[in-house]
Amino acid sequence: MNEVGGAGQYRERPSRFAGAVLWTRTVDGMDPVLPVLPDGCMDLIWRAGRLVVAGPDTRAHHPPASDGVRYVGVRFSPGTAPALLGVPAHEVRDQRVDLADLWPSSAVRSLVGQLEAADDTATALEEVVLRRAAVADQADPLVSRMTAALDAGWSVAAIAAGAGIGERTLHRRSLAAFGYGPKTLARVLRLQRALAAARRGVPLAETAALAGFADQAHLSRDVRALAGIPLTELLARS
């Protein structure tokens, strides 16, 4: 889910930064504003002359819907943004933080000037990310393996054993990379699997089974807890 909920004029494409998505959104005041649901991702967003980092969410985020405002963002796949942005994910969890609070203000002012002067803000923001990636630390090598294993239903103990580390170490590395521990990440990934299936028209009982829920009631409870609204309402509005 992109950082600004609702339909409006929304476009996205794969970024040249591996695993990321480049998206743009112009808010239409007539659109329903959907909550931004936890997905394990972080975003770097350009809006009205500001660069903002959207941290990983543990609950639904309800963005403002100012008519006519244009957003441009890069959505990073789970666990890949902290090394690039130079901030542990848990430090920005459930927050929207100005990049100038994380990076030297002079560097951010320079980037803002470049984006304001660009003919294509989306491409210019992508270039910012690519230049940063060329000098930034590499992401924790455990990130992709942990995400895939949790998405496949592995237990935390099995992942830790497979990586040759203790569960406490796994939890600490998960906090830095994803913003929360592996059990919460597994819950978030399960929610996203379920929503993807339901939006394809898969019946809800089958969706619950495919995504790894005990039953449809379990799916409904988890959606309400993480999204703040019932599953049927969420699907109808989206």
Side-chain angles (χ1 to χ4, degrees):
M1 175 66 71
N2 61 294
E3 173 60 19
V4 182
Q9 300 176 35
Y10 176 76
R11 299 288 185 273
E12 68 173 41
R13 66 165 174 80
S15 171
R16 288 178 286 157
F17 181 75
V21 171
L22 183 66
W23 58 267
T24 61
R25 164 93 161 93
T26 302
V27 177
D28 183 340
M30 300 299 291
D31 289 337
V33 179
L34 297 175
V36 178
L37 304 184
D39 58 6
C41 299
M42 292 173 59
D43 291 64
L44 178 62
I45 302 169
W46 167 259
R47 172 188 176 276
R50 292 173 59 205
L51 281 166
V52 175
V53 173
D57 293 316
T58 59
R59 57 184 181 273
H61 170 69
H62 297 273
S66 303
D67 198 11
V69 173
R70 185 170 187 262
Y71 297 79
V72 178
V74 177
R75 183 170 66 252
F76 301 97
S77 59
T80 58
L84 185 140
L85 297 176
V87 59
H90 64 84
E91 292 190 6
V92 291
R93 181 177 55 226
D94 292 320
Q95 298 181 63
R96 275 62 190 159
V97 179
D98 278 304
L99 186 62
D101 292 336
L102 306 174
W103 290 10
S105 57
S106 59
V108 176
R109 282 197 301 271
S110 176
L111 294 177
V112 167
Q114 294 171 35
L115 292 169
E116 288 179 334
D119 294 328
D120 182 346
T121 309
T123 298
L125 181 61
E126 185 178 39
E127 290 292 340
V128 167
V129 169
L130 293 172
R131 290 197 302 271
R132 175 70 177 184
V135 299
D137 293 336
Q138 296 296 308
D140 186 338
L142 185 57
V143 162
S144 59
R145 285 183 288 161
M146 192 188 310
T147 305
L150 289 171
D151 211 21
W154 285 35
S155 70
V156 173
I159 296 170
I165 58 177
E167 290 186 41
R168 288 187 177 181
T169 299
L170 182 73
H171 186 85
R172 184 174 66 251
R173 289 169 69 172
S174 181
L175 284 177
F178 304 107
Y180 25 69
K183 290 184 179 179
T184 299
L185 177 61
R187 187 183 183 202
V188 166
L189 295 174
R190 184 178 61 187
L191 170 71
Q192 290 297 328
R193 289 197 304 272
L195 291 177
R199 286 166 176 155
R200 293 196 305 268
V202 177
L204 294 185
E206 185 179 348
T207 288
L210 288 172
F213 290 89
D215 51 31
Q216 186 175 334
H218 182 201
L219 166 63
S220 297
R221 289 195 301 272
D222 235 32
V223 170
R224 183 182 283 275
L226 291 170
I229 58 177
L231 175 59
T232 51
E233 181 180 347
L234 179 63
L235 294 173
R237 288 170 62 183
S238 61

